[in-house]
């Protein structure tokens, strides 16, 4: 009887693992099928990872923007990421949009969450290395829980710092972790633009005032917080965010 139960449990775990893998692979397959072949590439982050790349479309090139969507999304997420990876080309930026790690890791145990953090580190490190092969500045735009984990990696000095970091609705799925995130955002010296929406995850909006207090306490030299009215899925809101990003990058000399 015990062997039967164990076998059933193993089969169940295997099915769930295959489902998670299949969903992730389905996203990659969909993007590969829907997007122009010239935009499809990959980076080696211990395993091949989908990368969407587009060149700057101006006579004077500024550098490269690396984009990382929330773990529940993909490299062409309709919530800001796809719009930014296309529109920033018209402002002089190459764009590299990296496929985020599987969201299932963040709902697992501490080992799974560590695997997610390691996967983010490997993917962004590979993207930054590719970006540094070209001239110009490197800017990183990250969203949701991917943004929060990436910010922690910069605090821990596990990644080379970019010239600027833009956070879109950064949060972690735990109240205490979000209190720690508020302090972490203030704990590195990377110029940071912290953009949030009124409809963002409740953990985000609960800690915005605390983030500003920690920035003031830590004397972080370049930090701007913006609260956006509306949904990040609406085109007019996406254009608003694009203009916020362009204006802020210009204000800090990028």
């Amino acid at each position: 009887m015990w062997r039967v139960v164990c076998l059933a449990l193993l089969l169940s775990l295997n099915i769930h693992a295959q489902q998670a893998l299949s969903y992730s692979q389905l996203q990659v397959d969909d993007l590969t099928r829907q997007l122009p072949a010239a935009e499809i590439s990959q980076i080696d982050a211990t395993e091949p990872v989908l990368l969407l790349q587009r060149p700057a479309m101006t006579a004077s090139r500024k550098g490269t923007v690396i984009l990382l969507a929330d773990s529940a999304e993909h490299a062409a997420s309709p919530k800001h990421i796809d719009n930014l990876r296309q529109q920033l080309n018209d402002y002089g930026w190459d764009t590299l949009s990296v496929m985020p790690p599987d969201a299932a890791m963040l709902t697992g145990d501490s080992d799974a969450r560590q695997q997610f953090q390691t996967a983010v580190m490997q993917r962004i490190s590979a993207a930054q290395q590719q970006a540094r092969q070209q001239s110009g500045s490197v800017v990183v735009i990250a969203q949701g829980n991917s943004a929060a984990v990436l910010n922690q990696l910069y605090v821990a000095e596990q990644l080379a710092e970019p010239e600027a970091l833009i956070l879109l609705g950064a949060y972690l799925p735990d109240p205490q972790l979000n209190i720690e995130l508020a302090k972490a955002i203030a704990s590195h010296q990377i110029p940071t633009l912290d953009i949030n929406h009124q409809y963002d995850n409740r953990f985000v909006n609960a800690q915005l005032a605390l983030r500003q207090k920690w920035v003031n306490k830590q004397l972080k030299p370049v930090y701007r917080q913006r609260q956006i009215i509306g949904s990040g899925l609406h085109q007019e809101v996406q254009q608003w965010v694009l203009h916020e990003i362009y204006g802020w990058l210009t204000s800090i000399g990028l």
Side-chain angles (χ1 to χ4, degrees), residues 170-182 203-204 207 211:
Y171 80 97
L172 289 168
D174 177 88
Q176 183 57 42
L177 291 177
N178 276 281
I179 292 174
E180 296 173 10
L181 174 61
F203 292 123
V204 177
Q207 301 300 336
R211 292 182 189 182

Side-chain angles (χ1 to χ4, degrees), residues 107-202:
T107 59
D109 57 18
S110 58
D111 288 340
R113 292 193 295 273
Q114 181 59 50
Q115 289 175 7
F116 182 89
Q117 184 170 353
T118 299
V120 169
M121 179 184 67
Q122 291 170 342
R123 294 175 190 214
I124 295 302
S125 177
Q128 288 184 166
Q129 289 177 19
Q130 179 168 323
R132 292 295 183 191
Q133 294 175 7
Q134 306 294 325
S135 61
S137 301
V138 173
V139 174
V140 175
I141 300 176
Q143 182 183 59
N145 44 43
S146 296
V149 169
L150 183 59
N151 185 82
Q152 291 174 324
L153 291 168
Y154 286 128
V155 172
E157 299 182 347
Q158 292 182 273
L159 281 171
E161 293 186 351
E163 275 68 40
L165 175 64
I166 298 167
L167 306 174
L168 301 175
Y171 80 97
L172 289 168
D174 177 88
Q176 183 57 42
L177 291 177
N178 276 281
I179 292 174
E180 296 173 10
L181 174 61
K183 183 177 180 180
I185 288 173
S187 297
H188 58 71
Q189 299 301 301
I190 307 170
T192 304
L193 175 61
D194 189 6
I195 296 178
N196 305 282
H197 294 78
Q198 66 179 131
Y199 300 123
D200 271 337
N201 185 288
R202 60 190 174 89

Side-chain angles (χ1 to χ4, degrees), residues 19-173:
Q19 287 175 339
L21 178 61
S22 297
Y23 179 69
S24 178
Q25 188 58 50
L26 279 172
Q27 289 183 317
V28 171
D29 292 345
D30 284 345
L31 293 175
T32 302
R33 183 175 63 254
Q34 294 170 13
L35 297 175
E39 296 183 14
I40 307 295
S41 184
Q42 65 182 29
I43 49 175
D44 185 10
T46 71
E47 62 180 7
V49 174
L50 178 73
L51 181 73
L52 304 181
Q53 56 183 7
R54 289 171 58 95
M57 298 302 292
T58 55
S60 178
R61 180 182 166 279
K62 294 183 176 181
T64 303
V65 173
I66 298 169
L67 300 110
L68 181 67
D70 181 87
S71 66
E73 299 290 337
H74 52 72
S77 168
K79 187 176 181 180
H80 292 305
I81 299 300
D82 196 47
N83 186 62
L84 291 172
R85 79 176 187 90
Q86 297 186 59
Q87 298 293 329
L88 285 169
N89 303 143
D90 296 334
Y91 292 87
W93 296 94
D94 293 349
T95 55
L96 301 176
S97 187
V98 183
M99 195 73 177
D102 192 337
M105 296 181 189
L106 283 175
T107 59
D109 57 18
S110 58
D111 288 340
R113 292 193 295 273
Q114 181 59 50
Q115 289 175 7
F116 182 89
Q117 184 170 353
T118 299
V120 169
M121 179 184 67
Q122 291 170 342
R123 294 175 190 214
I124 295 302
S125 177
Q128 288 184 166
Q129 289 177 19
Q130 179 168 323
R132 292 295 183 191
Q133 294 175 7
Q134 306 294 325
S135 61
S137 301
V138 173
V139 174
V140 175
I141 300 176
Q143 182 183 59
N145 44 43
S146 296
V149 169
L150 183 59
N151 185 82
Q152 291 174 324
L153 291 168
Y154 286 128
V155 172
E157 299 182 347
Q158 292 182 273
L159 281 171
E161 293 186 351
E163 275 68 40
L165 175 64
I166 298 167
L167 306 174
L168 301 175
Y171 80 97
L172 289 168

